[in-house]
Amino acid sequence: MDYRDSPAEAEFRSRLRAWLADNNPGFRSSSTDDEYWARQAEWHTTLYNAGFFGLSWPKRYGGHELPTVFDVIVDDEVAAAGAPPRPSLGYLVQGISTHGTEEIKDRFLPALISGKDRWCQGFSEPDAGSDLAALRTTATLDGDDFVVDGRKIWTSYSDVADWCFLLARTDADVPKHKGISAFAISMEQPGIERRPLKMINGTTKEFGQVTFDGARVPVAHMIGEPGEGWRVAMTIVSHEREPGELGYVARYAKTVNRLKQTVHDDPHAFRPDQREAVAWAHVQVEMLRRHVCRRLSERLDGIDHGPGGSIDKLLMTWVEQSVGAAALSVSGPRAALDTEDEALKVYLYSRAQSVMGGTSQIQKNIIATRILNLPTA
């Protein structure tokens, strides 16, 4: 494939680069500071209003219907500028677009894409993380509504979300994968309690715990057919595991660019192993960037990656942890003495990548059974 910009891509890149020079809000890394999460909605709408968000999504819902390579250009340029990455919500757009009715898509996609409405994803539960099909939250039909009871955990952005993409059990008398349905439920109603969860790196605004106690969701807000929730969930997690959908390359590149500059400014202050760690992180990020380009190019050709998203998730984990290790190495003793050290926070956050969005063990099982066709026992 040809990685060079076409004339239209070059014009877009130049326009975005000039815009970022005047509009970079200068947040700290998204994995280290609550400010990013507190101001993410502001950054989302700023990008959207300037025409730099929702690039590959349909115009009908507020997108631009451009090839996905334009999303890669955004990731390149925000990383080069040291700006915050674009918000990661493409997987929700994919879930609603694939399984929602026309009414559901018209109702929810425009405000999701523009940033007017903020969403969280209510999948994991205290006893149903890796074994998602074991979830116990129920949705019981009551007239024109379902009544929801249960608990969700590790729910990103739940403290600020207007809506939740919820999985709940609607039929307990069928095999567990077939008794789950998906809903768009309003978070602004009685019967919903939200509590933040402090992460090991000090971040308090990303993860949360949500309790549903008699919350209501209209029947018309079911996404997909009754009992189709597992299929909906698999669509979402397959895209959630793709770094191209998440824009994470920009976050990794931003950190590596800063590390490279630190070493470049005073190379004799760093040992060979520290310089090597930064070089390895650079190689890893560039590998992932080119992998994302290839994946998005294949998508333009109509190729569905299916379980291949698990390979992407493992690559993403390895790259994030290489970047975290490099940051810790460059920081040296400071990271051991100062709990507010940014490199320490980057490193600690990177360790969580092994479990968030599906554990590495789950991804390896999927690769073994669904791609390599290996026996399960």
Side-chain angles (χ1 to χ4, degrees):
M1 62 183 293
D2 187 349
Y3 287 104
R4 294 173 297 183
D5 287 344
S6 69
E9 292 161 1
E11 185 279 329
F12 177 85
R13 186 186 295 276
S14 176
R15 183 159 49 87
L16 171 60
R17 188 174 296 173
W19 181 83
L20 284 168
D22 296 327
N23 293 278
N24 182 356
F27 305 159
R28 292 176 68 185
S29 172
S30 58
S31 60
T32 64
D33 192 77
D34 278 338
E35 183 187 21
Y36 173 79
W37 304 108
R39 298 179 63 187
Q40 186 192 46
E42 171 191 331
W43 180 233
H44 182 166
T45 53
T46 300
L47 280 172
Y48 179 82
N49 292 336
F52 297 121
F53 188 77
L55 300 175
S56 57
W57 296 328
K59 290 182 179 179
R60 174 179 174 180
Y61 305 120
H64 296 266
E65 293 186 355
L66 292 170
T68 50
V69 68
F70 285 84
D71 287 325
V72 175
I73 293 173
V74 171
D75 290 344
D76 285 349
E77 293 302 320
V78 296
R86 56 188 167 96
S88 307
L89 49 80
Y91 53 97
L92 294 178
V93 174
Q94 295 286 355
I96 294 174
S97 299
T98 303
H99 298 281
T101 62
E102 293 304 311
E103 290 77 13
I104 285 284
K105 287 186 275 190
D106 288 339
R107 169 66 182 83
F108 291 114
L109 285 179
L112 170 60
I113 293 172
S114 71
K116 178 176 179 295
D117 289 344
R118 302 189 73 183
W119 285 65
C120 61
Q121 176 182 297
F123 283 15
S124 295
E125 299 184 1
D127 296 317
S130 297
D131 185 11
L132 183 60
L135 63 85
R136 297 179 179 177
T137 295
T138 59
T140 306
L141 187 61
D142 181 24
D144 293 332
D145 294 340
F146 282 90
V147 178
V148 179
D149 294 284
R151 292 171 62 199
K152 297 293 178 179
I153 198 167
W154 317 125
T155 309
S156 299
Y157 332 127
S158 57
D159 60 328
V160 295
D162 302 296
W163 295 90
C164 177
F165 201 121
L166 177 76
L167 290 182
R169 190 165 300 285
T170 51
D171 189 344
D173 297 325
V174 297
K176 61 182 183 180
H177 290 80
K178 297 180 178 179
I180 300 170
S181 300
F183 300 91
I185 184 170
S186 171
M187 295 291 282
E188 301 293 342
Q189 61 168 302
I192 293 182
E193 180 186 5
R194 302 181 250 192
R195 290 189 293 167
L197 293 173
K198 186 176 181 180
M199 299 174 70
I200 192 173
N201 72 342
T203 301
T204 64
K205 295 293 186 183
E206 182 175 357
F207 276 157
Q209 184 170 208
V210 183
T211 300
F212 298 89
D213 182 9
R216 302 185 76 89
V217 56
V219 172
H221 286 186
M222 181 180 285
I223 299 174
E225 298 295 322
E228 199 180 33
W230 185 254
R231 278 190 60 216
V232 176
M234 293 303 100
T235 296
I236 288 178
V237 298
S238 67
H239 287 285
E240 188 182 12
R241 292 166 183 165
E242 291 186 358
E245 208 66 74
L246 297 175
Y248 276 13
V249 175
R251 177 155 65 85
Y252 306 151
K254 176 181 176 180
T255 300
V256 170
N257 287 341
R258 193 168 62 248
L259 294 174
K260 289 190 296 184
Q261 189 62 51
T262 299
V263 174
H264 182 269
D265 288 346
D266 190 7
H268 298 296
F270 298 96
R271 301 185 306 271
D273 63 292
Q274 291 173 304
R275 297 196 293 268
E276 183 176 331
V278 175
W280 180 242
H282 169 82
V283 169
Q284 292 279 296
V285 171
E286 184 61 14
M287 175 276 293
L288 187 66
R289 188 182 76 82
R290 290 176 182 267
H291 176 74
V292 167
C293 291
R294 185 177 64 178
R295 286 296 208 201
L296 294 177
S297 178
E298 290 171 346
R299 192 186 295 178
L300 289 176
D301 293 332
I303 297 174
D304 180 3
H305 297 120
S310 293
I311 298 174
D312 294 7
K313 174 61 167 51
L314 286 178
L315 285 176
M316 190 164 61
T317 299
W318 292 336
V319 172
E320 175 146 1
Q321 294 181 348
S322 295
V323 172
L328 191 69
S329 176
V330 168
S331 183
R334 285 197 309 273
L337 299 173
D338 182 3
T339 57
E340 291 302 310
D341 183 74
E342 184 169 338
L344 176 64
K345 293 185 174 187
V346 168
Y347 173 78
L348 291 174
Y349 190 94
S350 75
R351 307 314 299 171
Q353 190 61 249
S354 296
V355 294
M356 64 172 63
T359 68
S360 292
Q361 287 75 17
I362 291 290
Q363 310 315 317
K364 291 173 182 176
N365 283 342
I366 291 173
I367 292 168
T369 58
R370 298 180 60 187
I371 296 178
L372 301 177
N373 294 318
L374 297 177
T376 55

